[in-house]
Amino acid sequence: MTSGPAARAWCRAATAAVAVSLAWCAPAQADTLLGALAQSYLVNPQLNSQRAIVRQTDEGVPQALAGYRPHLNGTASIGNQFTWSEIGPAKNRDWTSPRSVGATATQTLFNGFQTGNRTRAAESQVFAARETLRVIEQTVLLNAATAYMNVLRDAAILEVQRSNVRVLGETLRQTRDRFNVGEVTRTDVAQSQAQLASGQSQMLQAESNLVTSNATYRQVIGSEPKNLQPGMPVDRLSPHTLPGAIDLGVATNPSVNAAMYGVDVAELQVKVSEGALYPQVTLAGNVQRLHEPTPAIKEQFTASVMTNVVIPIYQGGSEYSTIRQNKELLGQRRLDLATTRDQARATVVQAWGQHEAAKAQIQAAQEQVTASEVALNGVREEARVGQRTTLDVLNAQQALVNARVTLVTAQRDRVVASYTLLAAVGRLSPQVLGLKIPEWDPMVHYQQVRDAWGGVRTPDGR
């Protein structure tokens, strides 16, 4: 049976794989989990796309504020005009070249508070977009943490499987030697061959899983994984009790906050639509200079300032339908808010349960590894005196491999569960994690465009 140097080599290799469990042999320039999170925060295209959406939403505020500002238009015309007229016996034919220039200014004085309500609605949309950005930030950071830990897990599992294949190869060699001297049968050789083939298959699958995890890492974080250091849980940043986690999750979850702003937007849209029933008051000024408007008039200048009042009486009923429609939308948004709150609570409870289970699974997996190591050593000793078969040794060895894989997976799940819980309570952010990177501040762009009266270039020069 497998013993001596081969067995000791197996134990050393497997123990080393679990000791780093979720880590490669990391030199001084190894990547860290927080470093990977920082990089994904800066370069992830999904996150940058959502930031662009926030900047687009910012422009809704100056568009709404435009309702407070005057509208100015200039006019100019030039042409030729032929006039033929007959008055009594006289017939007149005149050619003139009328030309005119003018300007018109219009200022809204009252429109049923629609401009103010549109502005407040646009501001609420900005706040909702920022909360949605927080949702995407948390999703990206959680995906980055998961991708990082998946690479570590699959690298450690691959090392376990490679060590297992080496030991199984040595076991097959020793079994063939014993078969040649008549100590075991051909059945024992076949069992060793079958177990080696199974181990090679598991090793190839582990290699495939690692390739897939590396590709996901590249997609989420933006670089190839190199010499990753162990990842650590972030339990210290999460609430220590389930009731506290639920309260924090419902109060600070960005999805809940975005839904609350959605209710505000819908309520303001009702007020905007009701404004269509109010009188509309505008102030209009016009100046115009005409040259040869008629054959008898060589030049003419006009100027006027008018206050116009439009009182809506009935326009077919569309405005009433719009009000009713927006009220139904407001009711829907309130129901969506209740649903989002319930979902946030359920997410916190689920994440809490997974986190507690992950901590317990590590202890159980460690005990399983210890027990499997004792069992394997005992089976080997018993096999040496003929009390166990080759199959018993192979089964015990496979049980130890499975236990070590379970431990590696549990350690990965432990870290990911801590980040999942942090995201569920709405605290998975660069500020809370302490990432040493410049944070993207949505207020910078908002202040740059909010009061802009003109210009087609974006603040970054495009």
Side-chain angles (χ1 to χ4, degrees), residues 67 108 138 154 175 197 300 310 403 428 444:
T108 300
Q138 293 200 144
D154 293 340
T175 303
Q300 182 178 359
V310 177
L428 185 56
V444 173

Side-chain angles (χ1 to χ4, degrees), residues 110-112 275-282 307-313 315:
F110 181 75
N111 61 356
L277 303 179
Y278 286 76
Q280 311 292 309
V281 182
T282 58
T307 299
N308 302 314
V309 179
V310 177
I311 301 175
I313 298 176
Q315 288 79 38

Side-chain angles (χ1 to χ4, degrees), residues 78-336:
I78 185 171
N80 293 313
Q81 177 177 302
F82 171 73
T83 303
W84 181 87
S85 61
E86 182 176 351
I87 302 176
K91 296 181 179 180
N92 298 319
R93 295 177 176 83
D94 297 297
W95 287 91
T96 58
S97 299
R99 304 177 301 281
S100 68
V101 293
T104 301
T106 305
Q107 175 66 58
T108 300
L109 301 179
F110 181 75
N111 61 356
F113 310 105
Q114 292 185 68
T115 299
N117 289 324
R118 285 195 181 101
T119 301
R120 287 187 288 273
E123 290 171 342
S124 294
Q125 288 173 336
V126 169
F127 297 144
R130 292 177 186 174
E131 294 301 319
T132 302
L133 175 61
R134 286 185 58 209
V135 173
I136 301 301
E137 283 181 354
Q138 293 200 144
T139 300
V140 169
L141 291 175
L142 181 57
N143 289 343
T146 302
Y148 187 99
M149 298 309 298
N150 285 349
V151 172
L152 293 176
R153 176 200 61 194
D154 293 340
I157 291 177
L158 177 57
E159 184 58 34
V160 170
Q161 296 295 352
R162 284 173 175 170
S163 299
N164 182 45
V165 168
R166 288 194 294 269
V167 173
L168 290 175
E170 179 63 19
T171 300
L172 176 59
R173 186 190 66 78
Q174 294 181 4
T175 303
R176 283 173 174 165
D177 291 342
R178 298 181 66 196
F179 172 73
N180 291 334
V181 298
E183 292 183 3
V184 296
T185 66
R186 185 175 297 277
T187 300
D188 296 295
V189 176
Q191 289 171 342
S192 297
Q193 289 175 328
Q195 195 69 15
L196 176 58
S198 176
Q200 290 172 336
S201 175
Q202 293 173 3
M203 182 185 69
L204 294 174
Q205 182 61 53
E207 290 178 347
S208 175
N209 292 341
L210 180 57
V211 170
T212 301
S213 295
N214 287 340
T216 303
Y217 184 102
R218 175 66 178 82
Q219 176 187 1
V220 176
I221 298 176
S223 64
E224 297 295 336
K226 296 179 181 179
N227 303 319
L228 306 188
Q229 290 184 350
M232 300 300 294
V234 287
D235 298 346
R236 69 188 187 283
L237 304 177
S238 298
H240 300 298
T241 64
L242 179 57
I246 292 174
D247 292 341
L248 184 62
V250 174
T252 64
N253 188 292
S255 296
V256 175
N257 292 338
M260 293 175 62
Y261 286 121
V263 172
D264 294 341
V265 171
E267 188 172 0
L268 290 166
Q269 287 296 340
V270 172
K271 295 181 179 181
V272 170
S273 58
E274 290 174 343
L277 303 179
Y278 286 76
Q280 311 292 309
V281 182
T282 58
L283 179 67
N286 179 71
V287 293
Q288 191 172 29
R289 182 165 186 157
L290 301 94
H291 297 270
E292 293 189 280
T294 66
I297 301 176
K298 295 301 181 181
E299 189 170 347
Q300 182 178 359
F301 177 82
T302 61
S304 65
V305 177
M306 304 290 292
T307 299
N308 302 314
V309 179
V310 177
I311 301 175
I313 298 176
Y314 185 73
Q315 288 79 38
S318 62
E319 66 275 27
Y320 301 104
S321 175
T322 301
I323 294 172
R324 296 192 302 269
Q325 182 183 45
N326 287 332
K327 286 182 177 179
E328 292 293 346
L329 178 61
L330 174 58
Q332 177 195 344
R333 291 288 183 264
R334 286 171 174 163
L335 293 173
D336 291 343

Side-chain angles (χ1 to χ4, degrees), residues 407-429:
L407 177 57
V408 168
T409 303
Q411 291 174 326
R412 172 266 182 198
D413 293 344
R414 169 78 172 83
V415 176
V416 173
S418 69
Y419 278 89
T420 302
L421 177 59
L422 197 62
V425 299
R427 287 178 53 80
L428 185 56
S429 66

